Amino acid sequence: MSPKNFSYMFPAYPIICIIATILALIPLTTHWLAGNIGAVALSLWIVGGNIMAAVNTIVWHGNLNNPHPVRGDICQAYFSVMNFGLSAGTLYVQYTLWKVARNRRLFVSPREKRRQKLWAVFFCYGIPLIFVVLHYIVQGHRYDLVEDLGPTPTAYPTPLTYVLYFIWDPIFCLIAIGLSIHTYSILYRHGRTMEKVFISSKKNSEKKYYRLLGMTLLISLIHFPIVLGIMLYNAIKVPTQPWISWDDTHSDFNRINYLPREVIETIPDIVTLSSISYWSIALCGYTYFFFFGTGTEARRQYRVALVAVCRRFGIELPERKEKEKKKTTRSTGGKRSWLDRLLGRRREGESFLSTIGDTSTGITFVRTFQRESVSGKSGMDKVRPDETIVISPSTVSQARDGEDIKHYHSWIEVESRRERPSGEEEGIDLEAQGSSAVEQREQEQEQRSQFEEEQTTAEPEQTEEITF
């Protein structure tokens, strides 16, 4: 049974909003220190919305007193653009994650890094400020003061209202959802390459990337049906008036409509839509904490804060014993996680190939690190972990992309060798392949040494890591 008015929200709703505010503030320090403008903006928009919603439901519970109307102006202005702040911030964060997955790199030039920061500030703060102005264009009066809920924003229903105000929020959410789906498809096809990209990162981790990706998708999925439903309700239920002029829209602009419980009970659809909208604010706070307040970095910060507080009272906590972390790579053995299945990765323990020779000579020595990963059906079950095999360059180029060695046993040209051949034996083998291979190898060695000398004398290109 749906509620008749908003009196049911007190006192549960303000308590839940206060808890959501505290939880959303906990991971804020990590993103602030990392310089992640998008995640910081999302946290601030969520925290501000929960604070205002909690205070309003407490102050205006069971009354319509309005001794300070300016306070209502501030609340309605914030709520009128908070949805745009969430959707625009989510869109920017999702775009950054999509760009990392598409380019498969985390380092950019300082100039590009500065340009990204400017775009982040524009998306997360500039776009909401623009919508403050756009909302004022279609704002018919100051605001509506609803009993038990507080000040709410209003818009005069004209065709221009939908073009300037209502339609953009669903569009931002829809684009963010589309980018998220495309990002997941890229990660599914290039999951192994992305894993190598994150290995070289100092600020970002693969877990943080997936947490941010999941949070933005979940917030967009929560936000999109709500703003779309509000827009469709206004388009269907509220009569649309023609846009005549600025003066006609803003006539009697200083008016404040007071809506007691008796009036609200006659409009059950408004109670349902507003309840869903307000409860989603608290839900976003818990979602933000779930993705960023329960990770390894957050737990480390909790311990640091706990140690600092205990030292104030002369309590020394025992030092935490760092457990030896088992590397869960494909070359060390282990179980296959759900993320490996999602991204199409191999089971941990399947062999990688390590190139010992030079692919340009037409002959390459490749070492297998684990015997268990070699299938007996491939005819290579006699190869030991310390042995080398000789395969064609095309095989190595494909094996470097993560393919298993057992798929390429048919390319083996020479029987397996227990150790790498010495220089004389290698020369004999190369002569068998032709003297041109030896000359080509010498030329490439000279070119390589010349290139290394140029790299040592040249100034290295400065790059900075993307923060998300």
Side-chain angles (χ1 to χ4, degrees):
M1 182 177 179
S2 60
K4 296 181 179 181
N5 51 55
F6 300 105
S7 59
Y8 77 96
M9 300 179 70
F10 185 87
Y13 182 76
I15 295 175
I16 293 174
C17 285
I18 292 173
I19 297 175
T21 301
I22 297 173
L23 294 178
L25 283 173
I26 292 175
L28 180 61
T29 306
T30 304
H31 296 295
W32 183 275
L33 296 177
N36 189 350
I37 299 176
V40 170
L42 288 177
S43 178
L44 293 178
W45 285 113
I46 292 172
V47 168
N50 278 279
I51 291 176
M52 287 194 175
V55 172
N56 290 351
T57 51
I58 294 174
V59 172
W60 279 283
H61 174 64
N63 68 89
L64 288 173
N65 300 327
N66 193 17
H68 306 288
V70 177
R71 180 179 177 182
D73 292 326
I74 297 173
C75 292
Q76 73 84 22
Y78 187 87
F79 283 124
S80 66
V81 298
M82 187 191 68
N83 291 335
F84 295 102
L86 284 175
S87 57
T90 303
L91 176 59
Y92 173 77
V93 173
Q94 185 57 61
Y95 172 77
T96 303
L97 300 177
W98 171 79
K99 194 173 181 180
V100 170
R102 186 193 63 175
N103 298 332
R104 290 184 282 282
R105 63 186 178 95
L106 290 173
F107 294 89
V108 295
S109 62
R111 183 178 180 181
E112 186 175 355
K113 182 72 176 291
R114 289 192 297 269
R115 184 166 61 249
Q116 289 181 354
K117 289 184 177 180
L118 293 176
W119 275 109
V121 173
F122 172 74
F123 262 87
C124 299
Y125 303 104
I127 288 180
L129 292 178
I130 292 175
F131 277 102
V132 171
V133 179
L134 296 179
H135 176 253
Y136 180 72
I137 295 175
V138 297
Q139 186 178 359
H141 55 279
R142 291 177 68 175
Y143 55 87
D144 293 338
L145 186 60
V146 182
E147 186 175 358
D148 299 312
L149 201 62
T152 58
T154 62
Y156 189 62
T158 63
L160 190 63
T161 304
Y162 295 94
V163 174
L164 295 181
Y165 185 70
F166 280 122
I167 197 172
W168 293 105
D169 207 354
I171 289 177
F172 288 164
C173 292
L174 195 61
I175 295 175
I177 294 173
L179 286 176
S180 179
I181 295 174
H182 190 211
T183 303
Y184 276 111
S185 66
I186 294 175
L187 294 175
Y188 181 79
R189 288 183 280 110
H190 304 283
R192 300 171 186 172
T193 306
M194 289 299 299
E195 183 180 359
K196 297 176 183 178
V197 169
F198 286 110
I199 291 176
S200 61
S201 174
K202 295 181 180 179
K203 298 181 180 180
N204 304 306
S205 63
E206 189 176 9
K207 292 183 178 179
K208 181 181 177 182
Y209 180 88
Y210 284 107
R211 286 200 303 268
L212 197 58
L213 185 61
M215 186 200 69
T216 53
L217 176 59
L218 185 57
I219 290 179
S220 298
L221 291 176
I222 294 173
H223 196 57
F224 175 69
I226 296 174
V227 295
L228 183 63
I230 293 174
M231 184 186 70
L232 294 178
Y233 176 83
N234 284 275
I236 297 173
K237 296 290 185 179
V238 181
T240 303
Q241 305 296 329
W243 172 269
I244 299 176
S245 64
W246 175 278
D247 295 334
D248 178 73
T249 302
H250 293 83
S251 60
D252 196 14
F253 181 80
N254 291 325
R255 183 180 77 256
I256 300 175
N257 290 341
Y258 294 88
L259 303 177
R261 292 178 181 176
E262 293 76 12
V263 176
I264 294 298
E265 290 176 358
T266 61
I267 320 174
D269 294 339
I270 294 295
V271 177
T272 302
L273 286 175
S274 299
S275 297
I276 294 174
S277 179
Y278 270 75
W279 281 103
S280 66
I281 300 174
L283 181 59
C284 288
Y286 288 96
T287 302
Y288 191 87
F289 174 78
F290 174 77
F291 280 97
F292 291 107
T294 58
T296 305
E297 298 176 357
R299 292 196 301 268
R300 190 181 299 113
Q301 289 185 357
Y302 301 156
R303 179 170 178 80
V304 171
L306 182 61
V307 170
V309 172
C310 290
R311 285 179 180 176
R312 294 280 185 179
F313 298 94
I315 302 174
E316 292 292 336
L317 295 179
E319 295 183 0
R320 184 180 180 182
K321 296 181 180 179
E322 294 292 339
K323 297 182 180 180
E324 295 182 359
K325 297 181 179 180
K326 297 180 180 180
K327 298 181 180 179
T328 56
T329 59
R330 289 181 287 250
S331 60
T332 57
K335 296 182 179 180
R336 191 181 185 192
S337 64
W338 66 270
L339 190 59
D340 294 329
R341 296 188 184 94
L342 179 63
L343 300 178
R345 297 172 178 169
R346 292 197 309 271
R347 181 181 66 254
E348 286 89 351
E350 294 183 348
S351 65
F352 268 148
L353 302 182
S354 175
T355 303
I356 302 177
D358 190 352
T359 58
S360 62
T361 61
I363 193 168
T364 303
F365 298 91
V366 178
R367 185 181 301 279
T368 60
F369 288 109
Q370 287 195 354
R371 182 182 178 182
E372 290 79 7
S373 63
V374 182
S375 174
K377 297 181 181 180
S378 62
M380 294 179 58
D381 52 341
K382 297 182 180 180
V383 179
R384 299 180 180 179
D386 58 344
E387 290 178 332
T388 57
I389 58 174
V390 184
I391 58 179
S392 64
S394 61
T395 306
V396 176
S397 63
Q398 297 180 35
R400 281 177 174 173
D401 293 334
E403 300 294 342
D404 197 344
I405 187 175
K406 64 184 179 182
H407 296 161
Y408 298 100
H409 62 274
S410 60
W411 276 282
I412 299 176
E413 298 174 354
V414 184
E415 64 181 359
S416 62
R417 305 189 176 191
R418 190 172 301 276
E419 297 179 356
R420 183 179 178 181
S422 60
E424 296 180 357
E425 294 176 350
E426 186 177 359
I428 294 174
D429 292 337
L430 291 175
E431 288 179 1
Q433 296 293 330
S435 59
S436 59
V438 179
E439 296 176 357
Q440 184 179 3
R441 181 175 182 178
E442 292 177 353
Q443 292 177 0
E444 292 186 355
Q445 287 179 351
E446 293 178 359
Q447 294 177 359
R448 187 183 299 109
S449 60
Q450 183 179 0
F451 176 77
E452 291 176 355
E453 292 178 359
E454 293 177 355
Q455 291 296 318
T456 53
T457 56
E459 295 182 359
E461 183 181 359
Q462 295 182 353
T463 59
E464 295 183 6
E465 188 174 354
I466 299 174
T467 55
F468 52 77

